[in-house]
Amino acid sequence: MRVLVVDHPLVAHKLTVLRDKNTPSPVFRQLTEELVTLLAYEATREVRVEQVAIETPVTATTGTGLVKPTPLVVPILRAGLGMLEGMTRLLPTAEVGFLGMARNEETLEAITYAERLPDDLTGRQVYVLDPMLATGGTLIEAIRFLFDRGAADITCICLLAAPEGLAKLRAAHEGNNVHVVLASIDEGLNENAYIVPGLGDAGDRLYGVVD
Ligand code: URA
């Protein structure tokens, strides 16, 4: 498993505004999309391509095209949905599948409550969108699920991670073809498994509180 923290002043700036508790939902949503596009630029560095023949208005030449099967983007519901637009802006031909996962707030274990994905992911490059890598439970399960369906390699795009969650993810998927791209590794988790300093509940910040 490889981890990349994207070191760029615009990433740091947008993340700072996201962290601010006074940033309202519409701005939070807009900035999340912009930040994901910047992270996606790095995360797609190894997207599979091939040489293609084209004709410019001037001459014949060769260029670069994405190979089939096209990459699959999988936002983890609910908060990952806020990252989808920023990702597909960069990779508009990607297919999108959905995985609904939530953590049980008492046991902190991840449960899958919805799934809409191709049955066979053999050979597919998969990009998983989940803003907060906190305990790691959700991503560990999501990655297992996608490898079980045949995914070739999995890149997780997150806004933030806690070192504890990253360590658990590494222990679960060391040696697997997993790449994590994120904007920051924060200090740690508090007693409620929130990332500190973090940005709060990403789903609530994006979409408001739903009881
Ligand atoms: N999920 C969130 O939305 N925020 C955290 O800090 C941890 C998990």
Side-chain angles (χ1 to χ4, degrees), residues 137-201:
T138 302
L139 271 185
I140 289 170
E141 285 312 311
I143 292 169
R144 198 167 282 149
F145 194 98
L146 294 163
F147 276 140
D148 283 350
R149 294 231 171 152
D153 58 77
I154 298 175
T155 300
C156 306
I157 303 179
C158 307
L159 303 182
L160 297 181
E164 301 92 314
L166 262 184
K168 257 178 77 181
L169 188 63
R170 191 183 288 285
H173 289 292
E174 187 68 89
N176 289 341
N177 209 346
V178 175
H179 192 192
V180 181
V181 177
L182 65 165
S184 168
I185 300 174
D186 275 11
E187 287 163 25
L189 296 175
N190 69 12
E191 61 285 2
N192 297 318
Y194 276 84
I195 298 176
V196 179
L199 50 76
D201 185 302

